[in-house]
Amino acid sequence: MKILKFGGTSVANPENINRVKTIVQNEVSDKIAVVVSAFGGVTDLLLHTSQLASNQDLAFKDGLKKIEDRHMGTIKELIPVNAQSAILSKVKSDLNILETLLEGSFLIGELTPKLSDKIVSYGELLSSFIISEFFKTEELDATFKDSRELITTDESFGNAHVDFEKTYHNCDSFFKKSTHSVTVLPGFVASSNAGNLTTLGRGGSDYTAAIIAAAVNASVLEIWTDVSGMYTANPKLVKQAKCVSQISYEEAMELSHFGAKVLYPPTIQPVLSKEIPIIIKNTFNPEDAGTRITKNSNGNGKTVRGISHVGGISLLSLEGPGMIGIPGISKRFFETLSLENISVVLITQASSEHSICVGISDNDVEKAVDTVNEAFAYEISSKKIKPVLVEKDLAIVALVGDNMKSHQGLSGKMFSTLGKNNVNIRAIAQGASERNISAVIKKTDVKKALNSLHEAFFEENIKQLNLFVMGVGNVGSKLLDQIKQQKKYLREELKLNIRVIGISNSRTMVFNEDGISLKNWESVLTNGQKADKEEFFKKINQLNYRNSVFVDNTASEEVSLTYSDYLKNSISVVTCNKIACSSDYGYYKELKQLAKQFNSPFLFETNVGAGLPIIDTLKHLIASGDKVNKIEAVLSGSLNFVFNNFDDSVTFHDIVKQAQEEGYTEPDPTIDLSGVDVMRKILILARESGYQLDMNEIVSDSFLPEESLKTNSNEEFFETLKKNETEFQKIYKEAKDKNSKLKYVAQFENGKAKVGLQKIPSGHDFYNLEGSDNIVLFYTERYPDQPLIIKGAGAGAEVTASGIFADIIRIGNF
Ligand code: ADP
Ligand code: ASP
Ligand code: MG
């Protein structure tokens, strides 16, 4: 005989019930029992409605109406008209009793656990009756059996304990006599010896099915639900979770205890002793193999088999000097909790015995605090023990696996993964069976913790990077193009999975938790919400993804001031915006310090020489113990472009205009032409070399006339260039007469920096610089006479974007 159990979603509506029928029809060669849950959502609705009634809120009538409509509607859709009336009238009369019960609760203003069980039982009682009648009309040899006549319990209403001896006897004799091929039974409900209705706890229909399976020595127990088995983590929270094909009873039990709701924890006990396999199957994809739960784990040596979590946890700590060495404190503590029926989910005790800390359900906190404080009132008043401390809104995450005990380093990996992702661990416990390691964390960190742990333990080193891109002008849009192009390669070759979750320009911003399509991001962004820097940060922080990277492609000072917020929340920052690193030295230092403290890289390779590996090289030199003595460089791609193309056949104005139009200048070209941009770059190189320097200490010899430096708009600025054309031609002629070329040079030596236009004679390293090229000469202790030279295109959207991309990949390998 086989037992099949169908959960709430599987029977949520007529369409799904039809699927159930097809599954049952395919299995009917054997005698089967079909245990069903209430129609999806009905249990919650019944509980909510009874709460309303007991609060004397007339809105309970609306709840009742909804319940009635769900059931009557399902009958009308499933059952042929000629067979409907008897079924409708039976269900209607049940609903009338339900109404009377609710009205009773409303009048008295009370809801005892006993009455609550009676009310909530209608979910399963009605669904099983309707489904059995439907099966009959579909030519199945089906019958209905009320589980209350089979399963006997004590009177712990809401979560009753089964009298197995009696129950097994009842089930065995019923099924031995029954000749029908399909018996439909309600899950969840039972009755006490005294004949009162009881229930088996939320999710209890799984348990009903397991009890019947054990009673009749079934060949298999099939749990049909809305996912294709037991996954490495809850698939609704971890997209990358994979179905586990086979798992041991103990592992499955441990996972379900720690929140894998797919199986109600007590379910395993009855079938385990009889070694009846459980198979978890998907009603919506019946052809999927599902998960087989048996004696053997067959994990092929895998250590961690699953990751799960339980929410709604609080920590309760008892501490104080009076606890040291005094026997019996823990005993009294646990006794006090147990007398109040408070279940302890997790225990840790410091070895100094200075404190005991337990995890309990949020629902029990108030009761627990009162009773513990009362029990230790004497010690508290004499200051030997502090009043009990409470921390709420926590959750437990747990790694589970039979083989974990024989492997070192798993907890190390677990905690370092959580630490790297800035998930604060409040308490730790390892099960004595060593089948699980648990950590208590903040409720708001659960999704991030599950995903980072899943990545670390199951995803064959594929690392997911979650990008939030601000600024999609020249550089930003090129970056998105490049990511789109390289996505597949990065995934396959570098095991990096890059998702762009948020994009913003100065007008609008969008977020998509599944990743924004890089094919049509422009139109998605245009229809986004109004852009707002603070909201952008808040949203990223609230999403709380692991490996989050904020990418700044703007030139905005305001944006650069938000970096510290990101870094403090373990969100890495990649930027081509130079302002942060070249403004106040204190802020630059703070950002570097935050990056270290919060394990969140702060990378700005493109601040100097666009995509050229200048800062990275410098970092490696310093890290390996070299010391920079002198830097000479041509660092402005824009000025190089301008002076390489300027001669007596064109005007200075036209060349600058061309440079701006081709994207070689900052949005405000005075930043380049005044030398400020070069000052920022040499400043950053000096700082990265380990020197403390500020902008006002750099000597700048500007070639621009005073009036150009004082303009307020790009138009005004270009006007002054036109006006001063003879000045510019004079500078050009002087250089030409000396057979030299004009280059804007930055120098750093003996802790001092200067920038300015120089006439470079032929033969000099700088003489042959083409187009927008940059060149940097590092004179260091290891390269004293022949400098280390880096040279190449140092401006332009394409190379800048590729430099940002390289920084993002660096974070991926971090
Ligand atoms: P049913 O109504 O069929 O009893 P439940 O909602 O009780 O279904 O259980 C199925 C749900 O369990 C899934 O939809 C999934 O969200 C959740 N779940 C939690 N952890 C896991 C896991 N490790 N594997 C599979 N499902 C899980
Ligand atoms: N209907 C009950 C619940 O939702 C029992 C079950 O579905 O397993 O908790
Ligand atoms: Mg369930």
Side-chain angles (χ1 to χ4, degrees), residues 230-231 234 252 254-265 307-309:
M230 199 158 220
Y231 280 64
N234 185 346
E254 205 84 15
L255 275 172
S256 68
H257 263 297
F258 281 98
K261 183 179 168 234
V262 64
L263 204 62
Y264 180 49
I307 302 167
S308 49
H309 86 282

Side-chain angles (χ1 to χ4, degrees), residues 5-8 36-39 41-44 47 120 123-124 187-188 201-207 264:
K5 177 260 168 175
F6 292 89
V36 296
S37 287
F39 296 163
V42 166
T43 305
D44 285 335
L47 289 172
V120 77
E124 267 73 6
F188 187 50
R202 291 306 307 267
S205 296
D206 297 344
Y207 194 27
Y264 180 49

Side-chain angles (χ1 to χ4, degrees), residues 711-729:
T711 55
N712 292 318
S713 69
N714 284 357
E715 289 75 35
E716 258 183 64
F717 172 70
F718 278 106
E719 272 314 305
T720 66
L721 295 190
K722 271 193 189 149
K723 222 168 110 194
N724 288 283
E725 179 63 21
T726 43
E727 258 319 293
F728 299 123
Q729 285 297 342

Side-chain angles (χ1 to χ4, degrees), residues 448-643:
K448 177 158 81 172
L450 290 177
N451 279 282
S452 354
L453 291 173
H454 197 270
E455 187 172 88
F457 287 97
F458 290 104
E459 290 172 34
E460 290 167 25
N461 300 327
I462 289 234
K463 186 163 178 179
Q464 169 110 9
L465 285 184
N466 298 303
L467 300 195
F468 299 88
V469 178
M470 184 168 281
V472 280
N474 276 342
V475 173
S477 56
K478 283 270 169 350
L479 173 69
L480 294 178
D481 276 353
Q482 292 177 6
I483 294 175
K484 183 175 84 193
Q485 234 172 50
Q486 280 304 95
K487 224 172 146 42
K488 192 157 169 268
Y489 174 88
L490 291 175
R491 211 189 141 76
E492 284 164 11
E493 302 299 321
L494 296 185
K495 303 275 177 237
L496 272 186
N497 190 25
I498 298 193
R499 283 194 315 188
V500 179
I501 309 278
I503 302 182
S504 176
N505 59 19
S506 54
R507 294 171 299 280
T508 50
M509 62 184 189
V510 281
F511 294 91
N512 181 342
E513 297 182 27
D514 296 323
I516 297 168
S517 157
L518 296 184
K519 288 195 190 101
N520 63 346
W521 63 267
E522 275 121 329
S523 60
V524 176
L525 179 61
T526 315
N527 296 317
Q529 65 198 92
K530 194 169 172 303
D532 181 319
K533 285 176 221 39
E534 276 79 42
E535 288 304 316
F536 196 71
F537 163 71
K538 272 195 209 148
K539 175 78 185 183
I540 301 173
N541 202 27
Q542 169 226 325
L543 282 174
N544 202 9
Y545 281 147
R546 71 204 184 286
N547 310 332
S548 290
V549 184
F550 172 65
V551 183
D552 177 13
N553 301 313
T554 72
S556 150
E557 178 174 6
E558 270 177 59
V559 176
S560 76
L561 290 174
T562 63
Y563 297 169
S564 52
D565 294 334
Y566 286 99
L567 295 171
K568 271 182 211 157
N569 287 284
S570 288
I571 300 162
S572 308
V573 174
V574 169
T575 178
C576 60
N577 178 347
K578 297 173 203 74
I579 297 177
C581 289
S582 57
S583 57
D584 171 52
Y585 183 77
Y587 187 52
Y588 160 82
K589 266 310 216 200
E590 182 194 337
L591 294 177
K592 303 223 38 149
Q593 159 62 25
L594 289 174
K596 252 192 236 148
Q597 186 182 345
F598 293 94
N599 258 315
S600 42
F602 168 45
L603 299 179
F604 43 87
E605 179 60 86
T606 47
N607 278 6
V608 182
L612 294 177
I614 297 174
I615 293 179
D616 200 46
T617 306
L618 186 51
K619 263 192 197 147
H620 285 129
L621 288 178
I622 305 288
S624 63
D626 204 350
K627 186 172 179 305
V628 174
N629 296 327
K630 182 165 93 169
I631 303 171
E632 282 186 339
V634 174
L635 292 173
S636 171
S638 343
L639 288 175
N640 228 17
F641 177 91
V642 168
F643 287 108

Side-chain angles (χ1 to χ4, degrees), residues 5-11 37-38 40 202-206 223-237 241-244 255-256 258-264 280-281 283-284 291 305-309:
K5 177 260 168 175
F6 292 89
T9 328
S10 303
V11 294
S37 287
R202 291 306 307 267
S205 296
D206 297 344
I223 304 281
W224 290 82
T225 181
D226 57 359
V227 286
S228 292
M230 199 158 220
Y231 280 64
T232 46
N234 185 346
K236 300 220 169 106
L237 296 177
K242 292 186 210 86
C243 182
V244 182
L255 275 172
S256 68
F258 281 98
K261 183 179 168 234
V262 64
L263 204 62
Y264 180 49
I280 299 183
K281 296 277 290 177
T283 304
F284 305 91
T291 298
R305 303 301 309 284
I307 302 167
S308 49
H309 86 282

Side-chain angles (χ1 to χ4, degrees), residues 24-94:
V24 170
Q25 272 168 340
N26 288 338
E27 299 218 23
V28 88
S29 52
D30 202 354
K31 196 164 151 187
I32 60 178
V34 175
V35 176
V36 296
S37 287
F39 296 163
V42 166
T43 305
D44 285 335
L45 192 54
L46 281 161
L47 289 172
H48 179 65
T49 305
S50 59
Q51 277 303 333
L52 288 174
S54 68
N55 292 339
Q56 305 192 307
D57 184 339
L58 272 172
F60 87 87
K61 299 226 177 234
D62 302 335
L64 184 65
K65 176 86 178 49
K66 277 192 206 145
I67 293 164
E68 176 165 342
D69 290 349
R70 278 286 294 276
H71 292 92
M72 297 307 218
T74 306
I75 297 170
K76 287 179 188 153
E77 228 178 288
L78 279 179
I79 312 266
V81 181
N82 55 3
Q84 273 178 19
S85 65
I87 303 165
L88 286 173
S89 78
K90 156 82 173 116
V91 168
K92 183 65 192 157
S93 92
D94 281 356

